[in-house]
Amino acid sequence: MTEAPANRLAHQTSPYLLQHAHNPVDWYPWGQEALARAEAEAKPLFLSIGYAACHWCHVMERESFEDPATAALMNESFVCIKVDREERPDLDGIYMDAVQAMNGHGGWPMSAFCTPDGRPFYAGTYFPPEPSHGLPSFRQVLSGIAEAWRDRRDELVVQATRVTEAIARAGGTASAEPLTHAIADAALDELRRTFDPRWGGFGGAPKFPQPMTMEFVLRRAVRGSPDAMEMLVLTLDRMAEGGIYDHVGGGFARYATDASWHVPHFEKMLYDNAQLLQLYTRSWQLTRNPRYRDVATRTAQYLLREMQHPQGGFWSSQDADSDGVEGRFFVWTWDELVTLVGEDVSTCFGATPAGNWEGTNVLWRPTPVSTLARSLGRDAGELTAELTRARERLFERREARVRPAVDDKILAAWNGLAIRALVEAGRAFEEPSYTGAAERAASFVLAHLRDDRGRLARSWREGRLGGPAFADDHAAMALACLTLYETTFELRWFEAARALVDELLERFVDAERGGFFQTGDDAEKLLVRPKDLYDNAVPSGNSSAAEVLQRVALLTGEGAYARAAAGALQLVRDAMSRAPAGFGQALCALDLYVGPAREVAVVGAPEEPLTRALIETVTVAAYRPNVVLAVAGPGDGAATSAVALLRDRAEMRGRPTAYVCERFACSLPVSDPEALAAQLDA
């Protein structure tokens, strides 16, 4: 079959745009060329936004964008623009606000119809090729809007103006009320109300992991809040047992289509796996539950095995589909399983002869091994060992299948999440390969995701840069670099983190209304200058900035960082308690703000055993979320000059010494790890 001629997307870097490069649609990438044509021809824009691992994006492409008749209708009446939401979260945020304002909900693929200057007047998500489930067909939508643009254009322009004004108001204004513990208490109360007491997580189907929200619950468990530990443990256990977790290859799918975590939407995203790796690592530090260490380890191994570019950075996602079929790579027939691992193990994985999903089996662990062992007349330890061996055989067989496609662009913010998670896992589990992989990734991002002015870029693929980085790119990479500094104690990582937060303050802060804009002051002028306030699948730039600025403030004593962090939290103060599931990262930053927080300076050669023991007391022995750590050898002038927390510190009686401070008011220095732990937990 001859491939259709290429359209304007053929020269883009985004794998998602390249997937559409041979559609018969006359696609444009976002830019002045498309907007100028729309203005010159007085045509409305059709703006389609999605991402490479999006199953329904692929479905709409096959059904509509590859259909010559539909494409002809699009080309005749519209200027059509395709956007990768991962490369352009600013555009995605603006137009998703429009979709939600008009429909009350959103999702991808996103479909927005706009005036030639980009103001949206009608928007939705997936449209089927034929009328279905109350939705009009896509061709009906196209014809109806083309007719309305021809006959009732003034009405559409008025609608576009109203929607644009609503979007502009979405940036919010900072509250003048104080930031207090009561906000966190109210947020946890609201989470209790929506918690699923049977399966964990929040709400019903579809069910998302929500790692930032669970991190807030973890922090409340550390504080001893009622029910927090139970909510945390139930959710972590149920996810680890569910089909959302890949029992063969490690890592997590994007979400579950049901409330019991059984059937996933099979795409795997870098950001989900990074955040869940961090959550399970930190939860292991708190509980010492070996299951959490196993899940974290296997997730880290998945990232290193399947998601790391040879030069160090991490790719963005893996598709749900392979061979054009959703989940084909991951599911099993009963006969396959029995042949490979036997009936007992197949039963342990929740499989049945008829299949547990569309005639096939999604592997999950709905019943404890001890219970199954009793029903099968087996020894539980023996059956557990058999399960471990079975996973290896299943992995080997699965590797021979056609693999899902990988979106191989490298995004700064998502790499920041992965770097931080891997460093924490490497530190907690004493696995230097994780830390080494994280260092390679950080070095890659800081070296290659730079334009010729040194400005951080959002994305990189095959040697080509995307546009300027956003607030979340700077904040996430700064947090990653700080975590590297607090693990390796190499000053270059602290200096990189501080440079990134300084750029946040220079380019992104909203001095008038508080918080941070999503785009820099040097970015393309859009319909509005957006603010990314909600913590959805990834932490918002505003929330991540609130955390990293506080951490840098605790290490440096610089008040400007702390004030900017407080401004970011004031902007979402009232929303945090009302809608905590949308502000998980902000609530974690609030937890750091209201404290208590500890600054720890250790003076001693990092390779000396007692120094290591003091460091591990801070970072490994327990999960202490609001601690910052600086370490320097005696007489290390460069470190003490750069990190104010280290100044005027010395070894006591020639032994490595730790200084524990709270907002730079310090306790007596100690050289004994037990005494240090007592000060940290006081």
Side-chain angles (χ1 to χ4, degrees), residues 597-657:
R598 300 283 190 270
E599 309 108 54
V600 182
V602 175
V603 181
E607 66 277 4
E608 189 171 326
L610 180 54
T611 307
R612 296 307 310 173
L614 293 171
I615 291 168
E616 288 172 7
T617 299
V618 179
T619 60
V620 179
Y623 177 50
R624 297 184 175 95
N626 294 340
V627 172
V628 298
L629 173 65
V631 177
D636 186 343
T640 55
S641 175
V643 185
L645 183 61
L646 289 167
R647 292 174 194 160
D648 301 319
R649 315 288 188 198
E651 289 187 331
M652 304 298 291
R653 294 181 292 278
R655 303 182 70 207
T657 303

Side-chain angles (χ1 to χ4, degrees), residues 54 322 516 654:
C54 167
S322 53
F516 290 83

Side-chain angles (χ1 to χ4, degrees), residues 81-102:
I81 299 176
K82 177 62 75 172
V83 171
D84 181 340
R85 67 175 294 260
E86 296 168 354
E87 284 195 337
R88 292 300 303 266
D90 54 340
L91 291 170
D92 180 65
I94 290 170
Y95 290 98
M96 185 58 75
D97 283 348
V99 174
Q100 292 174 329
M102 289 186 237

Side-chain angles (χ1 to χ4, degrees), residues 302-315 422 436-438 440-441:
Y302 157 73
L303 289 175
L304 300 188
R305 184 182 67 243
E306 299 190 33
M307 294 296 283
Q308 190 164 31
H309 187 285
Q311 291 180 255
F314 287 93
W315 294 318
L422 283 164
R440 288 179 58 228

Side-chain angles (χ1 to χ4, degrees), residues 301-586:
Q301 291 169 346
Y302 157 73
L303 289 175
L304 300 188
R305 184 182 67 243
E306 299 190 33
M307 294 296 283
Q308 190 164 31
H309 187 285
Q311 291 180 255
F314 287 93
W315 294 318
S316 295
S317 65
Q318 286 181 317
D319 276 7
D321 303 3
S322 53
D323 269 348
V325 179
E326 183 186 6
R328 174 173 283 183
F329 182 75
F330 299 99
V331 299
W332 304 83
T333 67
W334 175 258
D335 289 343
E336 277 183 296
L337 287 171
V338 170
T339 299
L340 285 167
V341 300
E343 288 195 15
D344 288 356
V345 168
S346 301
T347 301
C348 287
F349 279 124
T352 69
N356 60 34
W357 179 67
E358 296 187 359
T360 64
N361 288 287
V362 174
L363 303 188
W364 69 319
R365 299 283 300 280
T367 308
V369 172
S370 57
T371 302
L372 285 169
R374 284 195 300 272
S375 67
L376 295 169
R378 298 283 306 274
D379 176 76
E382 178 186 299
L383 188 57
T384 298
E386 197 171 321
L387 276 168
T388 301
R389 293 191 296 270
R391 288 195 307 199
E392 296 170 358
R393 289 196 294 274
L394 292 170
F395 179 79
E396 183 178 352
R397 174 62 62 89
R398 199 176 76 175
E399 285 294 284
R401 296 177 176 177
V402 175
R403 304 183 65 79
V406 172
D407 182 336
D408 59 354
K409 68 177 178 290
I410 291 170
L411 297 173
W414 298 9
N415 270 257
L417 297 174
I419 292 161
R420 189 183 191 190
L422 283 164
V423 174
E424 289 195 21
R427 190 169 66 192
F429 305 140
E430 299 181 285
E431 181 48 70
S433 66
Y434 298 168
T435 306
E439 287 188 278
R440 288 179 58 228
S443 296
F444 180 88
V445 171
L446 295 177
H448 293 281
L449 273 74
R450 299 279 191 188
D451 66 16
D452 53 10
R453 300 169 298 152
R455 174 81 155 84
L456 188 68
R458 170 66 174 179
S459 64
W460 179 97
R461 182 175 182 269
E462 295 184 350
R464 295 177 62 190
L465 286 179
F470 300 97
D472 67 323
D473 296 303
H474 289 78
M477 278 302 302
L479 282 165
C481 290
L482 271 188
T483 309
L484 275 167
Y485 169 69
E486 292 178 309
T487 303
T488 67
F489 311 110
E490 294 181 22
L491 195 57
R492 60 179 174 134
W493 297 123
F494 175 80
E495 292 169 340
R498 187 159 188 179
L500 288 163
V501 297
D502 286 345
E503 186 141 5
L504 265 175
L505 294 184
E506 179 185 347
R507 293 193 180 277
F508 295 90
V509 74
D510 182 351
E512 181 181 346
R513 298 171 70 187
F516 290 83
F517 291 110
Q518 186 177 21
T519 55
D521 58 8
D522 59 343
E524 170 192 5
K525 298 299 184 286
L526 300 174
L527 196 62
V528 298
R529 190 175 179 191
K531 280 185 175 176
D532 176 26
L533 301 182
Y534 290 93
D535 300 318
N536 291 314
V538 295
S540 73
N542 194 73
S543 298
S544 295
E547 179 183 0
V548 72
L549 286 163
Q550 289 185 79
R551 291 189 175 277
V552 174
L554 291 171
L555 288 163
T556 64
E558 295 288 341
Y561 297 132
R563 288 190 295 273
L569 292 174
Q570 294 286 170
L571 191 60
V572 296
R573 178 196 180 279
D574 298 333
M576 281 191 278
S577 56
R578 290 198 309 266
F583 295 94
Q585 177 69 18

